Amino acid sequence: RENFKLDCVFKENELLYLKITQGKGKDKKIVQILDSLTMLKNDLRSLCDDFKIDVTKGFFPYKFVKKENLNYIGGIPEIKYYNNITVEKYNNLTNRDNWCLRDECFKYLKNDLLSLYKIMLIYNKLIFEEFGLNITEFKTVSSLSLSIYLSKFYE
């Protein structure tokens, strides 16, 4: 069994960065996970609009999910179980009579990840084309901004 090394950076009890290393030498594998909020300070729904992403953040009834109903299939949960949704948007949700918590959860998570991935690709491309920097080299927008300033504007 392989050993993993974890390096973490926290700020105010929130995980900003996680680096997972497995193996050594030429067989070493590294996965880095960065919190997108350290680069783009907006909620995902707004970012989807700002970046004109074709996959958008959906709506999910967080307050509906309980241990005893994880296998729920039936009518769509009432609007009171959703956060920040208008009556109009709630009425436009699909699968109203054949709503499956498990399927909706996976669909919601998939759309979240896919939309964030597309946003970060566009953002990275913009920064690289304009300044020749890869955002994955920086943990925060502050460190990225400082590098842009020092490399392009400071003499």
Side-chain angles (χ1 to χ4, degrees), residues 8 16 28 40 62 66 68 77 82 89 95-96 100 113 123 136 143 145 148:
C8 306
L16 300 180
K28 182 163 67 172
L40 298 169
Y62 299 106
K66 305 276 188 263
E68 54 274 2
Y82 291 80
K89 290 189 189 259
N95 298 331
R96 300 200 66 80
C100 173
L113 292 172
Y123 182 62
T136 61
S143 61
S145 299
I148 289 171

Side-chain angles (χ1 to χ4, degrees), residues 12 29 31 53 70 94 111-114 119 125 134:
E12 299 173 9
K29 298 173 185 160
V31 173
I53 301 300
L70 293 177
T94 58
N111 285 345
D112 264 19
L113 292 172
L114 187 56
I119 289 165
K125 183 178 178 188
N134 186 328

Side-chain angles (χ1 to χ4, degrees), residues 3-106:
N3 289 326
F4 293 90
K5 180 182 174 195
L6 302 177
D7 295 312
C8 306
V9 175
F10 287 89
K11 180 180 179 186
E12 299 173 9
N13 294 325
E14 291 186 18
L15 181 64
L16 300 180
Y17 168 79
L18 174 63
K19 179 179 175 183
I20 306 166
T21 306
Q22 177 190 27
K24 294 182 180 180
K26 64 177 180 143
D27 295 327
K28 182 163 67 172
K29 298 173 185 160
I30 298 173
V31 173
Q32 295 183 75
I33 301 171
L34 303 166
D35 184 352
S36 61
L37 275 174
T38 65
M39 284 288 164
L40 298 169
K41 303 285 184 187
N42 213 342
D43 62 273
L44 187 54
R45 190 175 318 282
S46 298
L47 289 171
C48 286
D49 291 340
D50 294 344
F51 282 82
K52 298 176 181 26
I53 301 300
D54 57 347
V55 177
T56 59
K57 182 172 179 66
F59 293 97
F60 189 77
Y62 299 106
K63 299 174 198 168
F64 180 76
V65 180
K66 305 276 188 263
K67 184 178 180 180
E68 54 274 2
N69 71 355
L70 293 177
N71 294 312
Y72 176 83
I73 298 174
I76 193 168
E78 296 175 48
I79 193 170
K80 69 182 182 182
Y81 294 110
Y82 291 80
N83 296 333
N84 303 320
I85 188 171
T86 65
V87 172
E88 180 184 5
K89 290 189 189 259
Y90 174 77
N91 289 335
N92 288 331
L93 295 176
T94 58
N95 298 331
R96 300 200 66 80
D97 298 322
N98 193 23
W99 194 89
C100 173
L101 178 58
R102 180 182 175 90
D103 292 349
E104 292 298 320
C105 183
F106 283 122

